Amino acid sequence: MKPIAKTLACGLSLSIILQPLPLLAAPPVSTGTGGAVATISEEASKSAIEILNKGGNAIDAAVAAAATLGVTDPFSCGIGGGGFMVIYLAKDKRVITIDHRETAPASFTPSSFLKDGKPMDFDTVVASGMSVGVPGTVRGWHEALDRYGSMSFRQVLAPAINVATRGFKVGETFSHLVAENETKFQNFSTTSALYLRNGKAVPAGTVLRNQAMARAYREIAARGEKAFYEGPMAEAIVEAVNHPPLAAGKSAAAGNMTLADLANYEARIRQPVHTTYRGYDIYGMPQPSSGGVTVAEALNILEGYDLKAMPRAQAEHLYIEASRLAFADRNAYLGDPEYVDAPVAGLLSKQYAAQRRALIDNGRASTALAAAGDPYPFQNDQSITLRPQQQQAVRMQESLHTTHFTVSDKDGNVVSYTFTIESWGGSGIVVPGYGFLLNNELTDFDFSGPRPNVPEAGKRPRSSMAPTIALKNGKPAFTIGSPGGATIITTVLQTIVNYLDLGMPMDQAIEAPRISERNIEASTVEPGYAGSDNARALEAMGHKWGEKPEQIGAANALVFNPDGTVTAVSEAKRLGGGTALVQRSAH
Ligand code: GLU
């Protein structure tokens, strides 16, 4: 988590952010009945509605939307990556999560990203086979469909196969993302062939077809998840990781993945993280994502204040400080739960939150980085004697990419789903013959440790993804989630505060300028925010903004209204705007 300006070198540039707004073809807010969906892609939202209209449930529709996003938004997500799905099952009245985060191949060790004892260059590792984790997306979709869906891969992949075969019109954002990644993409022959024209980004307006990705989906449709994890597609993935398909005169480090790594990959069904806030039950993603725990801890800290009664800047001051404290704990304690015994019960305890809250000055921004607290006395299990030494975690680059979307159905099932290939365009390697980009998720490890997020064989790198479902009186009330690396956590947190405490309707809660404090020297803010009245009120309390303002996370949400209707909410502006649809419009 170095300053974001550094992050920009390997991905997003401000030129994307400052694009003029396209004319919106599809609405970013829709209210109605039946199922609903909000994604950043018009095609993906339509795919979800198509599946809902054919009688599929929210889980079926989520896989359909995700597969379509893999075609239309291939630089943020796809079958070459992984993710986290939070599902509310109406019939069972319970929330479950599916962790299909990438894993480090069995060849990995804590020194895999060290050279001569020092961390390797970040960008060099990104654009290589070394950064590629064993992809989890297809196994995640399989678990979702098999356990909770009602349709087959063949049915739910059909809309995405159509879009990939028929083609879709490249938009400004798409073209700019390619332009920003030209250098990375030029390294690899397959990627250049798909996304560059004479070495330059495919221009907006081009109709792009991806027959190879359609083929990959067709094989999964025909043979299920095994088509991905065993046989020719698995062989092509391993070959692409270990011998990247280089363009003439280019070089990239090779990875060390085996067919066994793929065949052995398992998704995990995990219990959600749960906390309560202002009468809502908030369910989020547990480790290996830090998203759920960190959002919950910050909410627990904020619960002790009457934010509603405060001027907005005062409430935002407390939001920033709570986030700072929660991030200090996140960095110190959280990682893959199969490798790290994190004190989660302590971190989620309301008494612990009260202790953290006492560190906040109500009128002044803290001047130093926050230290991690000691949640161990607040663990239920007091017998834990092996406690990690407090260490200042090395702060790695974390980037701004990924996609989040949300779907519900007429029966009340709800999905909140964030998935990614990490950086824009992941490792930059398109798998020959199959048209999808491989992730660079392993750069989410801390290259030089220390624990808890040091690379290890089979381990999942710590994530920040925070797909969230909130219930009130036992019924779904709203969903929220966002892309954006570690800013995902702050976007989810700030949107909840905007919505529940500052009284904004969800579209305004999402649209409001974002402030992201991640226990860094200066909070990240969006372009145009510094200098606003609100910013000045916070500056008067001592808050500082990073020098490079940048767009933070394109969020998507659903709100379940008291009259039984549902409102789907996407972005009006960020990333060119998203598409919110309902099965039956109320208007
Ligand atoms: N790899 C990031 C995470 O898991 C998401 C990628 C991004 O949004 O930059 O938190």
Side-chain angles (χ1 to χ4, degrees):
M1 198 164 67
K2 286 181 196 159
I4 289 292
K6 277 260 185 169
T7 303
L8 294 180
C10 68
L12 179 65
S13 110
L14 294 181
S15 59
I16 305 161
I17 297 158
L18 303 175
Q19 281 308 302
L21 294 183
L23 284 177
L24 292 176
V29 180
S30 292
T31 297
T33 53
V37 58
T39 84
I40 202 65
S41 152
E42 184 170 351
E43 289 87 351
S45 292
K46 285 181 175 164
S47 293
I49 293 291
E50 181 182 329
I51 290 298
L52 291 173
N53 286 344
K54 286 186 172 151
N57 68 15
I59 294 90
D60 304 319
V63 177
T68 307
L69 279 159
V71 180
T72 60
D73 292 64
F75 311 122
S76 61
C77 62
I79 58 175
F84 299 102
M85 191 184 286
V86 178
I87 307 176
Y88 173 75
L89 298 163
K91 199 156 84 33
D92 300 351
K93 292 195 182 305
R94 65 182 175 123
V95 179
I96 60 97
T97 76
I98 303 177
D99 160 6
H100 47 289
R101 180 73 159 170
E102 300 90 328
T103 53
S107 59
F108 254 64
T109 72
S111 56
S112 284
F113 288 143
L114 300 181
K115 198 170 178 197
D116 304 326
K118 297 212 178 69
M120 295 173 74
D121 174 62
F122 187 83
D123 291 347
T124 308
V125 175
V126 168
S128 82
M130 293 178 70
S131 66
V132 182
V134 181
T137 295
V138 175
R139 192 79 77 179
W141 292 353
H142 165 76
E143 295 297 340
L145 291 177
D146 201 45
R147 292 166 186 266
Y148 312 113
S150 69
M151 288 183 163
S152 64
F153 260 131
R154 190 180 51 73
Q155 289 166 297
V156 301
L157 293 182
I161 293 171
N162 267 340
V163 177
T165 315
R166 190 185 67 219
F168 64 96
K169 206 180 244 179
V170 166
E172 293 288 342
T173 302
F174 188 110
S175 178
H176 276 271
L177 286 175
V178 182
E180 293 306 323
N181 286 283
E182 259 168 30
T183 314
K184 180 161 78 176
F185 290 177
Q186 281 163 358
N187 280 339
F188 305 107
S189 55
T190 42
T191 319
S192 310
L194 195 53
Y195 295 122
L196 303 180
R197 301 288 176 267
N198 300 319
K200 294 278 155 215
V202 54
T206 310
V207 173
L208 196 71
R209 296 181 182 83
N210 191 338
Q211 305 296 355
M213 195 184 289
R215 172 185 172 213
Y217 283 170
R218 272 195 205 100
E219 290 185 13
I220 296 165
R223 294 206 296 122
E225 84 289 357
K226 281 207 162 64
F228 186 90
Y229 291 98
E230 295 168 21
M233 207 182 320
E235 283 160 22
I237 293 167
V238 166
E239 178 65 16
V241 169
N242 298 346
H243 304 101
L246 295 172
K250 301 288 182 182
S251 65
N256 185 358
M257 192 182 284
T258 64
L259 284 171
D261 287 323
L262 276 159
N264 291 338
Y265 180 85
E266 287 179 355
R268 296 269 189 269
I269 306 297
R270 299 192 192 275
Q271 285 299 303
V273 167
H274 171 246
T275 195
T276 53
Y277 187 68
R278 317 275 188 221
Y280 289 79
D281 287 282
I282 311 283
Y283 291 93
M285 197 63 220
Q287 298 177 103
S289 185
S290 59
V293 174
T294 312
V295 168
E297 182 186 337
L299 287 175
N300 289 344
I301 295 171
L302 287 172
E303 197 175 41
Y305 302 104
D306 188 4
L307 299 182
K308 252 191 173 89
M310 293 177 185
R312 177 166 168 182
Q314 173 71 26
E316 285 176 342
H317 159 67
L318 297 170
Y319 147 71
I320 292 169
E321 296 297 318
S323 181
R324 182 192 294 271
L325 290 165
F327 260 92
D329 288 338
R330 166 213 188 250
N331 295 343
Y333 295 114
L334 301 180
D336 184 337
E338 289 161 35
Y339 292 68
V340 174
D341 190 10
V344 171
L347 291 170
L348 293 177
S349 112
K350 299 279 186 186
Q351 289 77 23
Y352 178 61
Q355 194 188 67
R356 297 297 272 162
R357 190 183 307 126
L359 298 173
I360 296 178
D361 181 329
N362 287 358
R364 289 300 302 166
S366 47
T367 49
L369 294 186
D374 180 6
Y376 285 95
F378 302 89
Q379 284 283 114
N380 299 330
D381 180 0
Q382 287 294 318
S383 67
I384 300 172
T385 50
L386 192 62
R387 299 176 182 190
Q389 244 187 326
Q390 287 286 320
Q391 290 159 324
Q392 182 62 42
V394 177
R395 290 202 273 126
M396 293 294 299
Q397 279 181 203
E398 289 182 284
S399 26
L400 292 171
H401 329 102
T402 303
T403 198
H404 173 83
F405 70 91
T406 178
V407 192
S408 65
D409 65 30
K410 64 175 176 18
D411 297 322
N413 300 299
V414 183
V415 175
S416 187
Y417 184 22
T418 315
F419 78 127
T420 189
I421 55 171
E422 208 327 83
S423 297
W424 292 120
S427 62
I429 303 172
V430 166
V431 178
Y434 294 99
F436 62 89
L437 280 155
L438 289 168
N439 70 84
N440 64 300
E441 213 69 56
L442 302 184
T443 58
D444 269 3
F445 282 123
D446 297 343
F447 281 18
S448 57
R451 68 177 308 283
N453 192 33
V454 67
E456 293 179 70
K459 191 174 179 182
R460 295 164 197 238
R462 179 178 63 209
S463 171
S464 300
M465 289 186 263
T468 303
I469 297 180
L471 269 54
K472 190 162 193 191
N473 301 325
K475 291 199 191 109
F478 66 91
T479 70
I480 181 68
S482 173
T487 69
I488 289 172
I489 292 169
T490 54
T491 296
V492 168
L493 180 61
Q494 189 180 2
T495 309
I496 292 175
V497 168
N498 286 347
Y499 180 62
L500 292 184
D501 293 306
L502 304 187
M504 299 181 199
M506 189 57 91
D507 55 334
Q508 286 173 31
I510 283 179
E511 201 173 332
R514 302 215 166 106
I515 309 166
S516 177
E517 172 50 52
R518 307 182 301 285
N519 202 25
I520 48 182
E521 289 74 15
S523 310
T524 312
V525 289
E526 296 196 293
Y529 179 71
S532 65
D533 288 350
N534 201 232
R536 279 208 295 273
L538 285 162
E539 284 158 22
M541 290 183 230
H543 290 284
K544 295 196 185 72
W545 319 126
E547 277 168 25
K548 295 230 174 198
E550 39 188 305
Q551 185 192 62
I552 300 174
N556 283 293
L558 296 176
V559 174
F560 300 92
N561 304 306
D563 66 358
T565 60
V566 55
T567 301
V569 185
S570 193
E571 291 284 353
K573 298 178 189 157
R574 292 183 185 92
L575 278 188
T579 301
L581 300 174
V582 289
Q583 261 186 299
R584 278 181 301 283
S585 177
H587 307 294

Tab-separated table of all heavy atoms in Angstrom, residues 84 101 398-402 420-423 441 444 462-465 483-486 488, ligand 1:
chain	number	residue	atom	x	y	z
A	84	PHE	N	-15.007	-13.153	-4.442
A	84	PHE	CA	-15.769	-13.467	-3.233
A	84	PHE	C	-17.248	-13.154	-3.466
A	84	PHE	O	-17.600	-12.033	-3.845
A	84	PHE	CB	-15.271	-12.625	-2.059
A	84	PHE	CG	-13.833	-12.873	-1.716
A	84	PHE	CD1	-12.848	-11.978	-2.102
A	84	PHE	CD2	-13.454	-14.007	-1.011
A	84	PHE	CE1	-11.521	-12.200	-1.786
A	84	PHE	CE2	-12.122	-14.243	-0.682
A	84	PHE	CZ	-11.151	-13.332	-1.078
A	101	ARG	N	-10.874	-17.217	-4.037
A	101	ARG	CA	-9.649	-16.448	-4.173
A	101	ARG	C	-8.564	-17.324	-4.794
A	101	ARG	O	-8.478	-18.532	-4.494
A	101	ARG	CB	-9.220	-16.007	-2.772
A	101	ARG	CG	-7.955	-15.183	-2.701
A	101	ARG	CD	-8.179	-13.801	-3.216
A	101	ARG	NE	-7.179	-12.864	-2.735
A	101	ARG	CZ	-7.072	-11.630	-3.221
A	101	ARG	NH1	-7.879	-11.198	-4.183
A	101	ARG	NH2	-6.172	-10.807	-2.743
A	398	GLU	N	-1.218	-1.278	-3.528
A	398	GLU	CA	-2.519	-1.907	-3.723
A	398	GLU	C	-3.220	-1.070	-4.774
A	398	GLU	O	-3.103	0.140	-4.781
A	398	GLU	CB	-3.303	-1.933	-2.428
A	398	GLU	CG	-2.693	-2.917	-1.465
A	398	GLU	CD	-3.453	-3.012	-0.180
A	398	GLU	OE1	-3.317	-2.107	0.627
A	398	GLU	OE2	-4.180	-3.980	-0.015
A	399	SER	N	-3.922	-1.702	-5.618
A	399	SER	CA	-4.366	-0.946	-6.783
A	399	SER	C	-5.877	-0.819	-6.825
A	399	SER	O	-6.563	-1.246	-5.918
A	399	SER	CB	-3.789	-1.607	-8.017
A	399	SER	OG	-3.561	-2.965	-7.762
A	400	LEU	N	-6.370	-0.233	-7.901
A	400	LEU	CA	-7.728	0.309	-7.871
A	400	LEU	C	-8.760	-0.424	-8.717
A	400	LEU	O	-9.774	0.127	-9.058
A	400	LEU	CB	-7.661	1.753	-8.384
A	400	LEU	CG	-6.922	2.699	-7.455
A	400	LEU	CD1	-6.718	4.034	-8.123
A	400	LEU	CD2	-7.680	2.870	-6.169
A	401	HIS	N	-8.478	-1.651	-9.025
A	401	HIS	CA	-9.207	-2.284	-10.130
A	401	HIS	C	-10.360	-3.138	-9.633
A	401	HIS	O	-10.895	-2.849	-8.593
A	401	HIS	CB	-8.180	-3.096	-10.903
A	401	HIS	CG	-6.844	-2.418	-10.807
A	401	HIS	ND1	-5.859	-2.836	-9.975
A	401	HIS	CD2	-6.425	-1.263	-11.358
A	401	HIS	CE1	-4.826	-1.987	-10.049
A	401	HIS	NE2	-5.147	-1.033	-10.883
A	402	THR	N	-10.737	-4.171	-10.436
A	402	THR	CA	-11.757	-5.111	-9.963
A	402	THR	C	-13.155	-4.681	-10.399
A	402	THR	O	-13.343	-3.574	-10.874
A	402	THR	CB	-11.696	-5.235	-8.416
A	402	THR	OG1	-10.410	-5.640	-8.061
A	402	THR	CG2	-12.695	-6.164	-7.831
A	420	THR	N	-12.147	-10.312	-9.543
A	420	THR	CA	-11.020	-9.504	-10.022
A	420	THR	C	-9.967	-10.345	-10.715
A	420	THR	O	-9.944	-11.575	-10.553
A	420	THR	CB	-10.377	-8.781	-8.812
A	420	THR	OG1	-9.414	-7.841	-9.269
A	420	THR	CG2	-9.682	-9.758	-7.871
A	421	ILE	N	-9.103	-9.655	-11.482
A	421	ILE	CA	-7.828	-10.274	-11.881
A	421	ILE	C	-6.676	-9.430	-11.328
A	421	ILE	O	-5.567	-9.494	-11.804
A	421	ILE	CB	-7.723	-10.468	-13.413
A	421	ILE	CG1	-7.936	-9.158	-14.173
A	421	ILE	CG2	-8.691	-11.536	-13.895
A	421	ILE	CD1	-7.622	-9.261	-15.677
A	422	GLU	N	-6.983	-8.587	-10.317
A	422	GLU	CA	-6.063	-7.700	-9.607
A	422	GLU	C	-5.805	-6.419	-10.392
A	422	GLU	O	-6.686	-5.612	-10.475
A	422	GLU	CB	-4.773	-8.433	-9.249
A	422	GLU	CG	-3.984	-7.977	-8.022
A	422	GLU	CD	-3.938	-6.531	-7.604
A	422	GLU	OE1	-4.884	-6.084	-6.927
A	422	GLU	OE2	-2.944	-5.850	-7.893
A	423	SER	N	-4.613	-6.199	-10.974
A	423	SER	CA	-4.365	-4.941	-11.689
A	423	SER	C	-5.250	-4.852	-12.932
A	423	SER	O	-5.784	-5.861	-13.383
A	423	SER	CB	-2.913	-4.863	-12.146
A	423	SER	OG	-2.037	-4.854	-11.059
A	441	GLU	N	-2.747	-11.800	-9.051
A	441	GLU	CA	-3.235	-11.670	-7.661
A	441	GLU	C	-2.137	-11.870	-6.616
A	441	GLU	O	-2.233	-11.366	-5.496
A	441	GLU	CB	-4.358	-12.682	-7.422
A	441	GLU	CG	-5.421	-12.210	-6.466
A	441	GLU	CD	-6.255	-11.081	-7.063
A	441	GLU	OE1	-6.833	-11.257	-8.158
A	441	GLU	OE2	-6.317	-10.018	-6.435
A	444	ASP	N	-0.685	-9.305	-4.332
A	444	ASP	CA	-1.383	-8.852	-3.116
A	444	ASP	C	-0.696	-9.382	-1.849
A	444	ASP	O	-1.042	-8.968	-0.741
A	444	ASP	CB	-2.851	-9.306	-3.116
A	444	ASP	CG	-3.771	-8.271	-3.748
A	444	ASP	OD1	-3.263	-7.240	-4.232
A	444	ASP	OD2	-4.993	-8.489	-3.760
A	462	ARG	N	-3.979	-11.892	0.952
A	462	ARG	CA	-5.031	-11.099	1.612
A	462	ARG	C	-5.679	-10.157	0.599
A	462	ARG	O	-5.010	-9.514	-0.198
A	462	ARG	CB	-4.423	-10.272	2.741
A	462	ARG	CG	-5.470	-9.403	3.437
A	462	ARG	CD	-4.873	-8.621	4.587
A	462	ARG	NE	-3.861	-7.692	4.142
A	462	ARG	CZ	-2.831	-7.314	4.884
A	462	ARG	NH1	-2.678	-7.773	6.100
A	462	ARG	NH2	-1.945	-6.477	4.389
A	463	SER	N	-6.987	-10.086	0.676
A	463	SER	CA	-7.761	-9.213	-0.206
A	463	SER	C	-8.411	-8.104	0.610
A	463	SER	O	-8.428	-8.141	1.842
A	463	SER	CB	-8.846	-10.047	-0.895
A	463	SER	OG	-9.744	-9.214	-1.583
A	464	SER	N	-8.955	-7.119	-0.111
A	464	SER	CA	-9.756	-6.067	0.526
A	464	SER	C	-11.203	-6.128	0.060
A	464	SER	O	-12.008	-5.262	0.425
A	464	SER	CB	-9.193	-4.694	0.165
A	464	SER	OG	-7.875	-4.587	0.603
A	465	MET	N	-11.538	-7.092	-0.758
A	465	MET	CA	-12.877	-7.102	-1.352
A	465	MET	C	-13.945	-7.245	-0.266
A	465	MET	O	-13.774	-8.015	0.676
A	465	MET	CB	-12.970	-8.206	-2.404
A	465	MET	CG	-12.145	-7.854	-3.641
A	465	MET	SD	-12.336	-9.012	-5.003
A	465	MET	CE	-10.915	-10.044	-4.746
A	483	PRO	N	-15.256	-1.983	-6.343
A	483	PRO	CA	-13.881	-2.336	-6.660
A	483	PRO	C	-12.931	-1.347	-5.979
A	483	PRO	O	-13.386	-0.458	-5.264
A	483	PRO	CB	-13.836	-2.174	-8.176
A	483	PRO	CG	-14.823	-1.095	-8.456
A	483	PRO	CD	-15.886	-1.200	-7.393
A	484	GLY	N	-11.634	-1.505	-6.236
A	484	GLY	CA	-10.705	-0.459	-5.805
A	484	GLY	C	-9.648	-0.849	-4.800
A	484	GLY	O	-9.276	-0.015	-3.961
A	485	GLY	N	-9.134	-2.098	-4.835
A	485	GLY	CA	-8.064	-2.467	-3.909
A	485	GLY	C	-8.471	-2.144	-2.482
A	485	GLY	O	-9.613	-2.348	-2.085
A	486	ALA	N	-7.546	-1.604	-1.713
A	486	ALA	CA	-7.845	-1.328	-0.303
A	486	ALA	C	-8.898	-0.227	-0.147
A	486	ALA	O	-9.553	-0.135	0.895
A	486	ALA	CB	-6.574	-0.958	0.445
A	488	ILE	N	-11.622	-0.291	-1.481
A	488	ILE	CA	-12.919	-0.985	-1.441
A	488	ILE	C	-13.512	-0.845	-0.043
A	488	ILE	O	-14.710	-0.557	0.133
A	488	ILE	CB	-12.734	-2.492	-1.766
A	488	ILE	CG1	-12.387	-2.694	-3.241
A	488	ILE	CG2	-13.990	-3.285	-1.371
A	488	ILE	CD1	-11.993	-4.132	-3.590
B	1	GLU	N1	-6.520	-7.577	-5.544
B	1	GLU	C1	-7.361	-6.635	-4.871
B	1	GLU	C2	-7.976	-7.241	-3.638
B	1	GLU	O1	-8.183	-8.409	-3.586
B	1	GLU	C3	-8.449	-6.218	-5.748
B	1	GLU	C4	-7.881	-5.590	-6.961
B	1	GLU	C5	-8.119	-4.145	-6.975
B	1	GLU	O2	-9.257	-3.745	-6.794
B	1	GLU	O3	-7.194	-3.422	-7.199
B	1	GLU	O4	-8.259	-6.552	-2.711
